[in-house]
Amino acid sequence: MIPLKQSSQGLIIDVIGKLKPHLDAITGSWREKLLSFGLDSRTLNTLERLTPAAGADFIIERNFYKFFESLHYNSVRLAKLSTDTRLVARSLELYQELCEPWLLQLYGEEGLTNAQAALEMVRSATFVAFSGAYFDTKTFETQALLRV
């Protein structure tokens, strides 16, 4: 599990909690943008499992263990689908960009920077979790091939 600083968890929970009613709309817009990348439905659906929308309930319940467990599982699936790591990074970046107008509306100019920072922490932790699981999976695949 990738730890998020205890001092940051409260803000992350607050931001995700306030965004939660809007996450379906954000996810819909995100899916539309990613469709232009020519992704198959399995890859797109698995990528969606890495978004804050997929982990919102875990985060709000302060169950970061389950959040990272879900990230790991879906990261392994993306590795098995041979999804380009740059695509994953870009998809997470796009999701955050789509959240920012909502953050401005919810937090105003004065709270926007902190809300953006909280979402950036989630995005960074998600990508680190994805990268670790991805490269572990690829290493295991290579070792299995070499054993044969």
Side-chain angles (χ1 to χ4, degrees):
M1 179 171 106
I2 309 226
L4 291 168
K5 283 182 159 183
Q6 190 74 23
S7 60
S8 302
Q9 288 179 9
L11 180 59
I12 290 168
I13 291 165
D14 182 66
V15 168
I16 297 298
K18 286 184 178 175
L19 274 176
K20 188 170 185 207
H22 312 288
L23 290 175
D24 286 342
I26 293 166
T27 302
S29 297
W30 173 84
R31 285 181 71 87
E32 285 179 29
K33 287 186 179 286
L34 285 184
L35 284 174
S36 67
F37 291 22
L39 300 176
D40 63 275
S41 62
R42 284 183 4 181
T43 302
L44 182 59
N45 290 337
T46 307
L47 274 171
E48 187 175 334
R49 301 304 302 162
L50 299 185
T51 66
D57 289 334
F58 295 134
I59 291 170
I60 292 167
E61 294 169 4
R62 296 182 175 269
N63 194 343
F64 289 98
Y65 177 80
K66 281 287 199 188
F67 172 62
F68 285 108
E69 186 178 76
S70 174
L71 287 178
H72 182 270
Y73 174 79
N74 288 293
S75 296
V76 169
R77 288 183 65 202
L78 287 169
K80 289 179 179 181
L81 291 169
S82 296
T83 307
D84 191 321
T85 58
R86 294 170 295 186
L87 173 66
V88 175
R90 181 65 182 134
S91 75
L92 294 171
E93 183 181 314
L94 279 173
Y95 202 93
Q96 182 166 345
E97 288 172 9
L98 291 167
C99 288
E100 289 181 1
W102 292 101
L103 293 177
L104 178 60
Q105 182 181 353
L106 294 166
Y107 288 92
E109 289 288 336
E110 60 282 346
L112 180 62
T113 303
N114 286 339
Q116 287 172 317
L119 209 53
E120 176 64 29
M121 284 183 261
V122 172
R123 180 171 71 115
S124 294
T126 298
F127 190 73
V128 168
F130 161 75
S131 297
Y134 184 93
F135 290 110
D136 286 349
T137 301
K138 291 300 181 182
T139 299
F140 294 143
E141 286 177 359
T142 302
Q143 289 173 345
L145 181 63
L146 290 173
R147 275 188 242 131
V148 171

